[in-house]
Amino acid sequence: MAHPAPAGSPRQRFQSRLAARPILVDGGMGTLLFSRGVPQRACLEELVASRPDVVGAAHREYLEAGAELIETLSLGANRQRLAAWGLEGRVGRLNRRAAQLAREAREVSGRDALVGGSVGPLGSPIRGLPDIGEPAARATFREQIEGLLEGGVDVIVLETFSDLAQLVLAVDEARTASDLPVIASLTFGEELVLSDGSTPRDAAEALAAAGADVVGVNCGAGPAACIDAIEAMGHPADDGPARSIMPNAGLSQRLEGRFVYAAGAEYFGTVTPRFLAAGARIVGGCCGTTPDHIAAMRAALDELDAADTRHAGVEALPTDDAPAHVSGGRPRTSVVERAAGSTTGVDDAPPPTRLARLLAAGRFVVSVEIDPPRSIRIERTIEAARLLRDAGVDLVNISDSAMARVRMSALSVAFGIQHDLDLECLVHCTTRDRNLMALESELLGAHALGVRNVIALTGDPPRIGDYPTGTGVWDVDSIGLIEILTRINRAEGPSGASIGQRAGFTIACALDSTAADQATEWDRLERKLGAGAHLVMTQPLYSVEQVEAMLAEARRRFGPGGIPVPILLGVLPLVSTRHAEFLHNEVPGITIPDVALAAMREAGDRGSEVGLEMADRLLRATEDEVAGTYIMPSFGRYEQCAELVRRIRARHPAEPLATGGVAAGATSVQVTL
């Protein structure tokens, strides 16, 4: 049943404030603290005791940026999660201190802001509610909430939950403990369904009945996905909970041990009106957002308020799914070590893969990416590969649960395609999901099954996909994976001992030539090539100028000949204006020039045709400079890719090699930058 707010209570005053104007919340605390030198593996919740100066400064930065509600640094400060640090006995003190620091920052700033007590789930959604029983779970939530109440918070913010039952329980405990307003926020994946099958509408109804004053979404894959989720909740009833939206700054990339996010501050300012149009009365940011993002949102809100057009003329965000092939993981430094000077004396290497022979023969290679199915049925995937084979591709490459969305294993799909169609595959292999033993085991199995083209990738962080609070492995990054593949090609095991026969992997690596940190990106490419990569595959490019800039930097780095291995130019045909804006603003590794964005806006309902023409025109202008192309479908539109392949084949007929077929065992693994 609903819990109406008594007249004059904190809840009633909060609801009146929301009715008057939207409330702007702060952004990611972890993001800001990591940028201030806090180690990635530190217990953030403990910093309120050991580094109060750093925490207080972060709060003040958000207040100066215009936040009207700042959250305590206490998301994981419950007994269950603090036990991992041996801090379970300090729950009350840490939560009380977190609230005090936020209040002190507010007082120093002189701002009229609320302090929200941040409460997160008791454990990882992968494992569900800790096996402690409901009474103990309630006591755990109550202990944390009481610490925050003692510290003087104004609002209880229950956030980043993906277990609806656990969140309903937390709302009940918060409602029992005080008369403060309660914000209840869930994290949805792109499928917009929780692990128990609940939809956003189901969740909104359950949380309203539990007594939440605000129901919303936070974290997730970025603004577009969060807007989809809040819209799916349905329009709130006049006497029901308001809506909130606090997304991550787009998808993240792992760069030298840090997570770097795609969506910039300017973009968050642009989409703020769309948050309001979707029904949100509380807006803010989560992982990856900074004071700059909040300042941009403040400016957008102030402009809307001044013009009194808060709900007028606002267009919807792109709602199309991001192409699943886009890989955004950024690696840590490789930790793989090789035994110095080891030799095997084994010369019985298998013949080169067909991909390797095509490249050696100077043929223009054409590859198209295929996403594995999200079920146990592979028939449609095989038919997509058949369509592409008949259009003239040389090989298809199979993604590895891109964007951290669970799919059939890339190796299984590659084996199925090669077995049924005699079409060579290149597999993406990420280091996100497998430790060193599992990586090497899978590679040995892939080779035995004839899958020998691999592009080494670090992988998208689990937090953006089906397990938003899951953890990655990352014993090595893409460079370390290339080193493993190179070692196996020398017939060496982990310690340098012989594995009996040399392998014949064709090793690919990735290049994001439009990356914000160009120096690091190209330094890493040098390390990938030094580790043994045979082929470079670029992230999507959209203009001759982007290609020329890449080639110029290659010549500067490597000499007049440029990159010393073949390059496959990545192209991703656009289909609409919303698609283009989504890719440009929210997906790491993709930068679409203004002229291309303008062309898509002018295309109207001809977006798919114009996108195809743009991709074909780019290839015609640059194909003499590269060894081939790597085509990425938009939303599984393989027909569009097949048409592009046919146009390429009209210029570059597919001629048979002296020997062919998949007997050579081509398969590639994609390397995440």
Side-chain angles (χ1 to χ4, degrees):
M1 57 179 292
H3 298 245
S9 68
R11 293 175 62 202
Q12 196 276 330
R13 293 195 297 271
F14 179 76
Q15 291 168 0
S16 296
R17 181 168 179 173
L18 270 183
R21 67 182 187 279
I23 292 178
L24 177 61
V25 187
D26 59 7
M29 283 293 285
T31 303
L32 194 57
L33 293 171
F34 293 145
S35 73
R36 301 296 188 266
V38 172
Q40 287 279 335
R41 296 185 180 275
C43 176
L44 294 181
E45 290 78 7
E46 191 277 336
L47 295 176
V48 299
S50 62
R51 298 294 306 276
D53 54 333
V54 176
V55 177
H59 286 315
R60 292 193 298 274
E61 286 191 50
Y62 278 119
L63 288 165
E64 290 298 322
E68 299 166 282
L69 190 159
I70 57 172
E71 294 186 35
T72 57
L73 186 62
S74 57
L75 178 72
N78 63 65
R79 178 170 295 273
Q80 295 297 317
R81 294 173 70 170
L82 288 177
W85 307 92
L87 299 173
E88 62 271 26
R90 298 175 60 186
V91 173
R93 281 177 288 169
L94 291 177
N95 282 279
R96 184 167 57 250
R97 184 58 177 144
Q100 291 169 346
L101 282 177
R103 289 176 54 232
E104 291 168 4
R106 176 179 61 186
E107 292 168 6
V108 169
S109 72
R111 303 275 179 169
D112 179 19
L114 299 168
V115 171
S118 176
V119 177
L122 299 186
S124 167
I126 298 174
R127 301 177 179 86
L129 189 67
D131 189 20
I132 59 176
E134 182 176 320
R138 286 183 175 276
T140 302
F141 279 123
R142 178 66 71 90
E143 180 182 34
Q144 181 179 7
I145 291 169
E146 287 179 346
L148 293 168
L149 293 174
E150 291 172 6
V153 298
D154 306 303
V155 183
I156 300 298
V157 183
L158 308 171
E159 58 183 349
T160 323
F161 283 73
S162 56
D163 184 324
L164 178 58
Q166 188 180 148
L167 180 54
V168 167
L169 187 152
V171 171
D172 189 53
E173 284 303 307
R175 180 57 55 235
T176 303
S178 77
D179 62 348
L180 295 183
V182 175
I183 299 172
S185 183
L186 287 157
T187 297
F188 286 90
E190 292 187 356
E191 298 300 323
L192 297 186
V193 64
L194 300 177
S195 58
D196 66 354
S198 298
T199 65
R201 184 179 292 273
D202 296 333
E205 292 173 356
L207 293 169
D213 297 280
V214 179
V215 174
V217 294
N218 77 294
C219 206
C226 285
I227 286 182
D228 288 345
I230 197 174
E231 288 179 337
M233 287 182 173
H235 191 76
D238 292 339
D239 59 346
R243 297 286 186 257
S244 66
I245 181 169
M246 293 175 278
N248 285 351
L251 303 180
S252 63
Q253 306 176 75
R254 191 173 173 84
L255 175 62
E256 299 297 333
R258 297 181 299 109
F259 288 110
V260 179
Y261 290 79
E266 182 179 357
Y267 180 62
F268 260 61
T270 300
V271 299
T272 295
R274 302 175 186 178
F275 294 161
L276 303 182
R281 299 298 290 168
I282 294 179
V283 298
C286 200
C287 303
T289 56
T290 67
D292 289 339
H293 291 77
I294 302 307
M297 297 178 75
R298 175 78 275 155
L301 289 170
D302 290 346
E303 182 178 350
L304 287 170
D305 187 54
D308 196 28
T309 57
R310 189 162 52 213
H311 300 291
V314 181
E315 297 180 357
L317 255 184
T319 56
D320 296 323
D321 291 338
H325 77 276
V326 177
S327 177
R330 294 286 187 171
R332 297 181 300 176
T333 302
S334 167
V335 297
V336 172
E337 297 180 358
R338 271 197 298 251
S342 77
T343 60
T344 66
V346 179
D347 294 323
D348 52 345
T353 65
R354 185 170 189 273
L355 170 61
R357 289 183 288 119
L358 284 168
L359 294 170
R363 307 287 177 81
F364 191 82
V365 173
V366 180
S367 176
V368 175
E369 183 170 286
I370 288 181
D371 292 325
R374 289 178 61 84
S375 71
I376 61 173
R377 302 293 299 273
I378 197 174
E379 292 83 355
R380 292 185 63 188
T381 306
I382 296 291
E383 288 309 306
R386 190 189 309 277
L387 168 70
L388 297 169
R389 182 200 64 181
D390 294 346
V393 297
D394 296 300
L395 72 159
V396 292
N397 56 91
I398 315 299
S399 64
D400 184 13
S401 291
M403 295 175 64
R405 299 182 70 195
V406 177
R407 294 179 179 271
M408 186 181 291
S409 78
L411 174 58
S412 299
V413 173
F415 178 76
I417 290 173
Q418 293 191 169
H419 179 273
D420 287 10
L421 302 181
D422 194 32
L423 174 64
E424 189 164 281
C425 296
L426 179 154
V427 295
H428 299 200
C429 181
T430 74
T431 65
R432 169 193 60 221
D433 309 315
R434 309 165 181 89
N435 63 16
L436 286 170
M437 182 181 296
L439 278 172
E440 189 143 352
S441 175
E442 183 150 327
L443 291 172
L444 293 174
H447 198 283
L449 294 175
V451 178
R452 296 197 285 121
N453 300 309
V454 176
I455 177 169
L457 301 170
T458 302
D460 301 305
R463 69 181 65 181
I464 69 173
D466 292 330
Y467 296 111
T469 59
T471 58
V473 179
W474 288 307
D475 279 354
V476 293
D477 61 2
S478 55
I479 299 171
L481 180 54
I482 294 170
E483 291 175 340
I484 292 173
L485 286 160
T486 300
R487 172 167 52 73
I488 295 174
N489 277 354
R490 295 199 306 263
E492 295 177 9
S495 62
S498 173
I499 60 173
Q501 181 178 350
R502 292 166 56 192
F505 284 111
T506 299
I507 308 168
C509 70
L511 170 65
D512 178 6
S513 63
T514 63
D517 187 350
Q518 288 282 297
T520 297
E521 185 70 16
W522 285 89
D523 288 347
R524 287 186 57 76
L525 178 63
E526 291 186 15
R527 293 173 60 197
K528 292 172 184 179
L529 298 178
H534 305 131
L535 170 69
V536 172
M537 300 170 68
T538 78
Q539 289 280 35
L541 297 179
Y542 288 90
S543 71
V544 173
E545 290 74 18
Q546 287 179 326
V547 177
E548 290 177 343
M550 175 184 70
L551 297 175
E553 178 62 18
R555 289 189 291 270
R556 190 188 73 80
R557 287 262 179 166
F558 301 104
I563 296 175
V565 300
I567 304 171
L568 296 189
L569 178 65
V571 295
L572 195 168
L574 301 172
V575 298
S576 68
T577 300
R578 293 194 302 176
H579 179 219
E581 290 176 347
F582 179 87
L583 294 176
H584 181 68
N585 290 292
E586 295 195 39
V587 179
I590 299 183
T591 300
I592 301 178
D594 291 341
V595 63
L597 291 170
M600 294 307 297
R601 294 188 189 103
E602 295 172 2
D605 58 6
R606 295 181 59 252
S608 182
E609 179 183 346
V610 171
L612 182 63
E613 292 172 353
M614 289 170 57
D616 189 36
R617 187 162 57 247
L618 175 62
L619 288 172
R620 289 200 308 271
T622 60
E623 55 194 19
D624 290 341
E625 303 291 336
V626 295
T629 184
Y630 162 41
I631 304 170
M632 306 164 213
S634 303
F635 322 123
R637 295 180 177 177
Y638 298 112
E639 281 285 359
Q640 186 188 38
C641 292
E643 175 57 27
L644 181 55
V645 172
R646 296 184 192 103
R647 296 185 185 189
I648 296 170
R649 282 296 171 231
R651 302 189 298 272
H652 300 278
E655 301 175 3
L657 290 166
T659 58
V662 181
T667 301
S668 44
V669 179
Q670 179 167 348
V671 181
T672 297
L673 300 176

